Amino acid sequence: MSLGSPGQSANASSQYLVFDLDTSLPFPCVFSRYVEEALRKEDNFRQKYRRFFRVVPALTYLSEFASDRSHMRKPDESGHLVWLANPPDYDAIGTDSSENNIEQFWSMEKGVGFGTVLNFDEFESFDPQKL
């Protein structure tokens, strides 16, 4: 999911757009509608199933994210690494400082990795301009 701003109107903070290809909602979709219809409240969730969201500024993501695709391989019965699915045709993503830091983007532990980890309530009221 990617979040963007439609411009600098007085009401812009409530009109951020979500670009998510994994929903049947409009593309893009207004953030408030996305949260309401795609994510939905978690009032009935047990505490251990409550969700967290890692919010990373786009420029940070583009300059820091690296994946050597090792998460796409698992050992077979003989111990050799095999692809779980065919890898993409393009090169793996790397940066000057890392060949693989995907775990830092997956982690939901606060203080680990890039960006900010938010619980659902924090995410629902999140203002991207405060990143």
Side-chain angles (χ1 to χ4, degrees):
M1 168 181 56
S2 176
L3 191 63
S5 172
Q8 297 296 332
S9 69
N11 197 19
S13 64
S14 64
Q15 294 298 314
Y16 287 103
L17 301 174
V18 174
F19 298 83
D20 186 348
L21 296 171
D22 293 325
T23 74
S24 58
L25 294 172
F27 184 85
C29 181
V30 174
F31 181 73
S32 58
R33 179 175 179 189
Y34 181 83
V35 169
E36 182 178 328
E37 295 182 31
L39 300 180
R40 303 188 183 193
K41 296 274 187 195
E42 56 185 21
D43 297 338
N44 295 324
F45 288 18
R46 291 183 181 179
Q47 188 63 36
K48 67 181 182 178
Y49 298 120
R50 301 262 168 131
R51 298 163 292 180
F52 292 91
F53 302 84
R54 178 170 294 280
V55 180
V56 180
L59 292 177
T60 301
Y61 180 79
L62 291 172
S63 65
E64 299 295 335
F65 178 81
S67 172
D68 63 4
R69 299 190 179 133
S70 57
H71 66 285
M72 298 172 61
R73 299 177 83 168
K74 298 290 182 213
D76 64 11
E77 55 279 343
S78 66
H80 292 89
L81 290 177
V82 295
W83 293 104
L84 298 173
N86 290 332
D89 292 333
Y90 51 86
D91 291 339
I93 301 167
T95 68
D96 291 340
S97 60
S98 180
E99 289 183 14
N100 189 44
N101 60 13
I102 195 169
E103 294 86 7
Q104 293 179 29
F105 288 87
W106 281 344
S107 173
M108 291 297 130
E109 186 177 334
K110 291 187 178 199
V112 172
F114 300 91
T116 304
V117 174
L118 306 172
N119 65 32
F120 180 81
D121 292 332
E122 292 167 330
F123 184 71
E124 185 178 29
S125 61
F126 170 69
D127 180 356
Q129 291 186 4
K130 295 184 178 175
L131 266 181

